[in-house]
Amino acid sequence: MVRIDEVENIRVGELTWLPLRRELGSTAFGVNGYAAAEPGDELIEPHDETTGGAAGHEELYIVTSGRARFVKGDEEIDAPAGTLVLVPVGVHRSAVAAEPGTVVLVIGGPAGAAGPRSAFEYWYAAQPAYDAGDYARAVEIASEGLDDWPDHPLLRYQLACYCSLAGRHDEAIEHLRVAFAGDDPRIEDWAAEDSDLDPIRDRSDYPSNPA
């Protein structure tokens, strides 16, 4: 654990660098910080991640305090604290401070290195539609995860619930069958009490957990 205000500030040319990766020892992604004392001070030097010294990273810039002014390609971005700016490899970017005490975190890694989005992101994204009773839309959103997670038991369980409520009962049975075949023992307990599955519970082809 480190606190940004306790990390050594290293002056490199016009930049003030916060060596967060060195402090934290992160290996899954690059992470660093840049600080500016006064408006107009440079935060992110002009670069596009393709020249010497760059790692060829897709980069996410997070303004944690103050206010920054980014240039991303031909776009100018006013970025108060709380702003996130994602820049792909090959796109020119730079930033200066617009307020005193501005700090920008930079998280980077090779494009695609993080792999697919986590399975939970799909059913989390479907939650507003589920809460609104738009079960068809919930099915549509969560089903986007099947390309990367075709046999994920929790994703399939959620889809079984959505399809059951949407009247798509044959699909619900198939999703539940795959969910039960997975290796998550919680699903059997959930299914026993989950009213979302009541519309299909009395079907003759309702699956049972093989465990």
Side-chain angles (χ1 to χ4, degrees):
M1 186 193 78
V2 299
R3 291 182 55 86
I4 289 176
D5 56 4
E6 295 175 353
V7 174
E8 180 183 11
N9 284 214
I10 298 176
R11 191 69 175 169
V12 182
E14 298 299 316
L15 294 170
T16 300
W17 175 51
L18 311 181
L20 298 178
R21 185 172 186 171
R22 290 176 62 87
E23 291 282 342
L24 292 165
S26 65
T27 61
F29 49 83
V31 56
N32 284 295
Y34 295 90
E38 299 296 336
D41 286 354
E42 187 174 58
L43 284 162
I44 306 300
E45 64 182 345
H47 71 291
D48 65 5
E49 280 296 300
T50 66
T51 56
H57 283 178
E58 179 179 78
E59 291 185 322
L60 175 65
Y61 299 93
I62 306 167
V63 183
T64 62
S65 62
R67 190 183 205 96
R69 187 170 64 253
F70 280 84
V71 175
K72 175 185 174 184
D74 296 328
E75 181 183 8
E76 293 189 5
I77 300 170
D78 177 47
T83 302
L84 289 77
V85 180
L86 181 68
V87 187
V89 179
V91 174
H92 194 271
R93 82 292 308 268
S94 64
V96 298
E99 291 181 1
T102 298
V103 174
V104 175
L105 300 187
V106 187
I107 299 172
R117 282 179 282 176
S118 298
F120 80 86
E121 295 186 45
Y122 295 97
W123 72 78
Y124 275 28
Q127 187 67 36
Y130 171 84
D131 290 340
D134 189 350
Y135 305 122
R137 178 59 178 154
V139 172
E140 180 182 1
I141 294 169
S143 293
E144 295 172 2
L146 292 176
D147 286 343
D148 291 317
W149 304 100
D151 299 316
H152 195 285
L154 272 67
L155 178 59
R156 287 289 195 148
Y157 180 80
Q158 295 294 339
L159 279 164
C161 292
Y162 302 155
C163 286
S164 174
L165 294 169
R168 296 161 61 166
H169 294 168
D170 289 344
E171 293 174 65
I173 291 291
E174 176 60 19
H175 286 306
L176 194 59
R177 183 191 65 77
V178 177
F180 278 163
D183 58 0
D184 194 320
R186 298 173 296 175
I187 289 177
E188 182 178 11
D189 293 334
W190 293 343
E193 303 292 336
D194 197 334
S195 62
D196 289 352
L197 299 176
D198 287 350
I200 63 171
R201 197 176 301 281
D202 293 333
R203 283 181 50 141
S204 61
D205 56 351
Y206 185 89
S208 60
N209 192 320

